[in-house]
Amino acid sequence: MVDAHNQKVVLRGVNVGGWLLQESYILRTDTLNSQGRIQAAMLRTMPEKAVEDFYRRFRNSFVTKADIDFLADQGFNCIRVPFHYDLFLTPKQRAFRRQALLKPALHAAYADSIAAWNDRGQLFTGRNLEGFRHLDDVLRWSGSRNLYVVLDLHAAPGGQGVDRNINDNMVPLDLWKRRDSKGRLVYQDATVQLWKQLAGRYRQDARIAFYDLVNEPHGLSAKNGLSDDNQELRSLYIRLLEAVRSQNDQHLLMLEGNGYGNEYTNLTPDKLPEALRSNLIYNAHRYWCTNEAAAGDPNPNQINLFRNLAAFRDHWQVPVWVGETGENANEWFAAAVTELNKLNIGWCHWNIKRVEATTGIFSVPAYGSILTPAGRTALLRNVRFKRSKINRDVVQALIRPVEGARAFNVQQQLPGLLVAAHYDLGRAGSAYQDTYSQRTEFVQKENWNLGSHYRNDGVDLSKVADPTAHNVAVDLLEPNEWLQYSVTVPQPGAFQVYARVANATTSAAVLQLLLDGQLLTEITVPPTGQADSWVTLTVPGSTLSAGEHQLRVVTAQPGARLSWLRFERAAAPASGMTRAMR
């Protein structure tokens, strides 16, 4: 990719998913499965006007200029904006769609209404529709910080697949199958019309890097009554390419393959009309797969693995971009972006925010239930930038993947308190070592952080029910796993060490403290009963020299939970046995 001055551009960005299209898992409403089902549940107890007002307020809060400024400050240079087509309906049209969500008997009538609005020039044509207002806002915010924007049709009319959570369909694959009373592919006609309107409005907008025409088509197969070689997808892409170019819009246009954006049989440039082959970009979405540079797929048109991705780019002489990558551990993120950066292939992290999650740029505090007034009020408050917790370890893995370990917040000083969960930022083998630190197979379901809390490394962290302990503990420490803390000792001297620990096993656990690779002291943690039975151990200390050091906590015998270590100056050289205080 090159910019208007013919300078190469590698886009490294963040998806702002969950904003202009809710996905249930982002909000922890998984049983509701999709935005449409959330709305249908709300409509059973709320009037239409109240639902519309809630969503207006939600969209005004979830992403704001403060969020975009933060991304720019971290060093990202683009954002991808997933949006729902229904934001380009009028409020009255959107209300009819919501009625169809409640009453499946209205699905055909809604499709016919889409066709009728399109025939009368009333579909997606208003200049002040909510979707346009939000896109205009994010373009203004991003442009002021020199961030490019990718427009992503994430929920296409009718739904581009079977996964309702992704595309908010009423009926799976309706984009490909639904015909109106005149036999026309009504939702494909609507998708063409939407991109015509978008291209007409933004054709000269240099803040937009490209258009992502349809997010993650999937389920197009003979099993589902469609072709096995992407014929339907090819036909729609030709129509969409023609529609955008008919508006004299020369933006890059991104194609996404079948199988969640990765498989391009019959979608390669040679399969498209010659007049439509210029200014194309091809997409890959990378989740739960290996980051081995040499790994490949025998199908050259399946491009989510690095070898295939680079080979596809080089063979067809087209730019490629990883439009989504994420939902994994920091170790996986760092390995992925390191290889992509080496290949000069851009990427976009999924996602900016999730409720009580470690994988996004922000973690949104819990809010209760979206189906209660109190829950909705809390959600509108908690999604705001100032209320969300910044996952700095995720930012570190994405922006500085090859940097060595560094202090979690500021350099810890001794004497002082070392919170166990505040081990250094950095890669496995540099800031910590854990037996299982990333998910590299789709079928590999186990979480890398078994506590699913606070940080996104392989280190297992969980909430602590102990009034004297920090609110997070390091758990499930196995032999030879370790944590590193970058510390500074301003003045040399003898130190006493205290450790807040628990041990639910029947055998003593042993932790070793190493300073710059040399054994400092050893902590024997006797069985304490239940997992939340905490004790404070007084540990033989040692003399520390002044300067900057790396302190490591190494598991010699498993079983300990560790909340914190406290270093205090000793009145005399510390000696004696480990003693416990409850």
Side-chain angles (χ1 to χ4, degrees):
M1 285 186 284
V2 297
D3 63 17
H5 304 289
N6 209 36
Q7 299 298 308
K8 289 183 179 180
V9 177
V10 179
L11 298 180
R12 301 180 177 104
V14 175
N15 281 274
V16 292
W19 175 36
L20 304 184
L21 165 66
Q22 289 177 336
E23 295 194 28
S24 290
Y25 81 98
I26 291 177
L27 296 178
R28 287 189 176 266
T29 61
D30 289 1
T31 57
L32 294 173
N33 189 244
S34 68
Q35 177 175 288
R37 286 169 63 93
I38 294 170
Q39 292 177 345
M42 293 170 69
L43 285 166
R44 294 187 183 101
T45 59
M46 298 168 62
E48 167 69 29
K49 185 177 182 299
V51 173
E52 183 79 0
D53 179 66
F54 167 77
Y55 273 88
R56 178 185 57 79
R57 295 170 65 196
F58 175 85
R59 289 188 284 265
N60 287 340
S61 303
F62 192 89
V63 172
T64 64
K65 187 177 186 300
D67 297 284
I68 303 303
D69 285 343
F70 177 84
L71 297 179
D73 289 342
Q74 306 317 301
F76 298 103
N77 65 0
C78 82
I79 61 167
R80 179 172 176 255
V81 183
F83 61 85
H84 197 309
Y85 84 92
D86 76 353
L87 291 177
F88 300 87
L89 298 173
T90 66
K92 185 176 181 180
Q93 291 169 341
R94 194 156 56 241
F96 187 29
R97 182 178 187 273
R98 289 190 179 132
Q99 289 304 307
L101 290 169
L102 277 173
K103 302 174 182 177
L106 292 176
H107 288 173
Y110 175 72
D112 283 342
S113 294
I114 286 282
W117 297 329
N118 202 4
D119 289 341
R120 294 196 293 264
Q122 298 172 344
L123 187 64
F124 312 136
T125 53
R127 299 299 295 174
N128 294 312
L129 296 171
E130 187 174 358
F132 287 128
R133 294 202 302 272
H134 285 302
L135 294 185
D136 288 348
D137 283 343
V138 78
L139 284 166
R140 185 174 64 256
W141 302 332
S142 300
S144 71
R145 298 304 307 273
N146 296 315
L147 269 68
Y148 283 101
V149 175
V150 175
L151 303 187
D152 159 36
L153 179 53
H154 215 76
Q160 62 270 27
V162 298
D163 190 334
R164 180 185 283 120
N165 192 52
I166 292 172
N167 56 61
D168 198 33
N169 61 61
M170 297 182 197
V171 179
L173 299 167
D174 250 12
L175 174 62
W176 314 105
K177 295 182 175 182
R178 176 72 66 171
R179 295 183 183 272
D180 67 7
S181 57
K182 296 180 180 178
R184 298 174 295 185
L185 287 165
V186 56
Y187 289 126
Q188 292 192 26
D189 292 347
T191 304
V192 169
Q193 167 67 358
L194 178 56
W195 277 114
K196 274 187 178 179
Q197 294 300 315
L198 289 164
R201 187 181 185 103
Y202 298 118
R203 60 188 164 209
Q204 295 183 340
D205 199 320
R207 298 168 298 186
I208 295 175
F210 50 87
Y211 304 149
D212 188 346
L213 297 174
V214 179
N215 174 71
E216 290 191 338
H218 62 280
L220 284 79
S221 65
K223 175 185 175 182
N224 290 323
L226 299 165
S227 71
D228 271 331
D229 59 356
N230 297 332
Q231 292 295 341
E232 295 85 1
L233 187 52
R234 175 182 176 275
S235 295
L236 178 59
Y237 275 147
I238 289 172
R239 293 187 65 190
L240 294 176
L241 295 173
E242 290 174 339
V244 172
R245 299 304 185 221
S246 75
Q247 302 302 302
N248 197 27
D249 188 327
Q250 297 306 313
H251 276 105
L252 280 166
L253 302 180
M254 188 157 81
L255 308 187
E256 294 205 25
N258 195 4
Y260 295 91
N262 291 304
E263 206 286 322
Y264 289 93
T265 296
N266 281 321
L267 301 174
T268 50
D270 63 313
K271 302 297 184 181
L272 301 173
E274 188 172 356
L276 300 175
R277 295 177 189 174
S278 62
N279 275 9
L280 298 181
I281 180 171
Y282 283 76
N283 165 83
H285 284 183
R286 303 191 74 253
Y287 293 106
W288 315 303
C289 58
T290 181
N291 285 319
E292 293 294 328
D297 192 286
N299 176 3
N301 292 320
Q302 175 73 28
I303 68 171
N304 59 315
L305 298 181
F306 291 135
R307 193 178 75 190
N308 290 52
L309 185 62
F312 188 94
R313 173 192 63 184
D314 297 342
H315 178 75
W316 295 110
Q317 291 295 291
V318 291
V320 294
W321 195 59
V322 178
E324 291 183 22
T325 180
E327 302 300 355
N328 212 310
N330 291 335
E331 178 64 16
W332 192 91
F333 295 163
V337 301
T338 295
E339 186 61 25
L340 288 167
N341 291 346
K342 188 186 304 181
L343 293 169
N344 284 318
I345 294 173
W347 46 266
C348 202
H349 181 69
W350 185 275
N351 186 42
I352 186 172
K353 294 179 183 179
R354 279 184 61 185
V355 172
E356 285 200 305
T358 61
T359 58
I361 304 299
F362 300 103
S363 178
V364 174
Y367 62 92
S369 171
I370 198 171
L371 300 183
T372 67
R376 289 190 292 274
T377 298
L379 178 61
L380 293 175
R381 178 178 65 248
N382 290 354
V383 296
R384 289 186 174 276
F385 173 78
K386 288 185 177 180
R387 294 282 297 185
S388 297
K389 170 184 170 285
I390 299 168
N391 290 328
R392 296 192 181 277
D393 55 324
V394 173
V395 176
Q396 165 83 8
L398 294 170
I399 295 298
R400 292 175 288 274
V402 297
E403 183 176 280
R406 64 189 186 102
F408 178 67
N409 284 321
V410 295
Q411 192 90 349
Q412 298 279 330
Q413 287 199 357
L414 302 182
L417 184 74
L418 288 181
V419 175
H422 291 179
Y423 58 91
D424 285 354
L425 295 170
R427 301 280 301 269
S430 176
Y432 69 95
Q433 187 61 49
D434 195 90
T435 303
Y436 174 54
S437 60
Q438 58 181 313
R439 181 179 171 188
T440 57
E441 301 268 352
F442 179 76
V443 296
Q444 188 180 0
K445 300 296 185 183
E446 186 180 26
N447 200 325
W448 46 94
N449 173 355
L450 292 178
S452 302
H453 188 63
Y454 199 65
R455 292 180 66 172
N456 194 47
D457 296 313
V459 179
D460 302 311
L461 302 175
S462 60
K463 295 181 180 179
V464 173
D466 174 29
T468 68
H470 187 69
N471 61 1
V472 181
V474 177
D475 265 335
L476 303 171
L477 288 165
E478 298 182 15
N480 300 315
E481 293 184 343
W482 50 262
L483 307 166
Q484 178 172 292
Y485 305 84
S486 294
V487 298
T488 299
V489 180
Q491 298 293 330
F495 287 81
Q496 186 71 56
V497 182
Y498 301 89
R500 188 68 172 168
V501 292
N503 180 1
T505 74
T506 58
S507 302
V510 178
L511 302 176
Q512 294 177 333
L513 301 189
L514 276 64
L515 192 73
D516 300 330
Q518 301 299 312
L519 181 64
L520 182 67
T521 191
E522 200 168 77
I523 305 171
T524 299
V525 184
T528 60
Q530 300 299 315
D532 284 327
S533 295
W534 291 87
V535 298
T536 301
L537 301 180
T538 304
V539 184
S542 185
T543 298
L544 303 183
S545 60
E548 296 185 354
H549 303 280
Q550 278 72 50
L551 176 73
R552 284 189 180 180
V553 179
V554 181
T555 305
Q557 295 293 331
R561 303 181 77 199
L562 178 63
S563 178
W564 48 256
L565 298 171
R566 188 172 70 246
F567 286 73
E568 294 183 0
R569 290 196 177 275
S575 62
M577 299 296 292
T578 299
R579 294 181 290 114
M581 299 183 294
R582 293 188 180 271

